[in-house]
Amino acid sequence: MPRQVFLYDPPDRFVAGTVGQPGERAFYLQATAAGRTTTVALEKAQVAALAERVDELLDEVVRRTGGSAPVPAVAPAELADTAPLDIPVEEEFRVGTMALAWDGESERVVVEAQALVEVEVNEEEDLEAAEERLLQDDENGPPLLRVRLTGAMARGFAKRALDVVAAGRPPCPFCSLPLDPEGHVCPRQNGYLRGASS
């Protein structure tokens, strides 16, 4: 079966979002264009890392081009997207690896999210070589979501993604672990049960 590639060039919408209550949230990336939607699941840490890397990449593009690239310094207010994920949220795959690049010719950020897969290693290669072989297999490789964004869209994506990550449970002021609504046993307070409002 040929590799599934979900390509959005450009998407009408590309966002990070969640389903569930803080402490039990599932994280997703969702791309939409021309009446079709692709949703992939990933970890909270992956969302945070992707958003931070997008901002870093855009900052570097601005620095290297002396500000001539069409990349805003901050996310444009008119592109703010606070709407929930499009429903139904139907996961195509769980993300294993992600890649990020700047296409200087088209002046676009390229985001790739590839499915998590088990890698079979043969006797002649190590794990790293086996992973690389699988990633480069355009015919039989794992499913892939590829999104091409303008600089402004990428800034908007990064801002929303960081806001989504930060909207979880507030941290304990003593140990920085997330507070549950029922409270948590704080290791910095010798196991004293602290409430969310404490």
Side-chain angles (χ1 to χ4, degrees):
M1 181 172 145
R3 180 181 204 177
Q4 257 189 313
V5 177
F6 302 94
L7 177 62
Y8 290 84
D9 184 13
D12 295 333
R13 182 178 194 227
F14 180 59
V15 295
T18 61
V19 173
Q21 296 300 313
E24 300 174 2
R25 297 184 300 169
F27 287 78
Y28 299 95
L29 295 178
Q30 191 174 72
T32 307
R36 69 186 177 106
T37 300
T38 302
T39 305
V40 298
L42 70 172
E43 299 298 320
K44 177 180 180 178
Q46 288 175 297
V47 174
L50 178 60
E52 290 166 5
R53 299 300 181 275
V54 166
D55 269 340
E56 289 170 6
L57 173 67
L58 294 173
D59 290 346
E60 183 66 13
V61 167
V62 169
R63 188 186 69 74
R64 287 189 181 195
T65 63
S68 66
V71 175
V74 296
E78 65 272 11
L79 293 182
D81 184 343
T82 58
L85 294 172
D86 294 332
I87 55 174
V89 176
E90 296 175 348
E91 175 185 322
E92 293 291 340
F93 59 83
R94 178 156 288 282
V95 174
T97 59
M98 294 184 293
L100 184 63
W102 173 256
D103 180 346
E105 190 173 309
S106 64
E107 297 184 318
R108 296 285 188 267
V109 172
V110 181
V111 178
E112 290 185 350
Q114 187 165 263
L116 181 65
V117 293
E118 288 187 28
V119 178
E120 293 181 24
V121 181
N122 60 42
E123 295 100 32
E124 299 92 44
E125 62 186 355
D126 61 7
L127 180 60
E128 191 173 312
E131 288 175 340
E132 187 61 28
R133 174 179 43 82
L134 184 64
L135 295 177
Q136 299 304 322
D137 188 349
D138 289 334
E139 190 63 31
N140 302 306
L144 174 74
L145 170 64
R146 180 178 294 136
V147 182
R148 296 173 59 84
L149 306 167
T150 65
M153 290 175 76
R155 282 283 191 213
F157 166 81
K159 180 179 183 331
R160 175 187 164 121
L162 291 172
D163 290 347
V164 164
V165 168
R169 297 173 289 170
C172 171
F174 299 101
C175 68
S176 299
L177 293 173
L179 288 173
D180 290 321
E182 302 84 36
H184 85 119
V185 177
C186 179
R188 301 282 309 270
Q189 294 294 305
N190 295 325
Y192 176 71
L193 182 65
R194 298 201 55 86
S197 60
S198 300

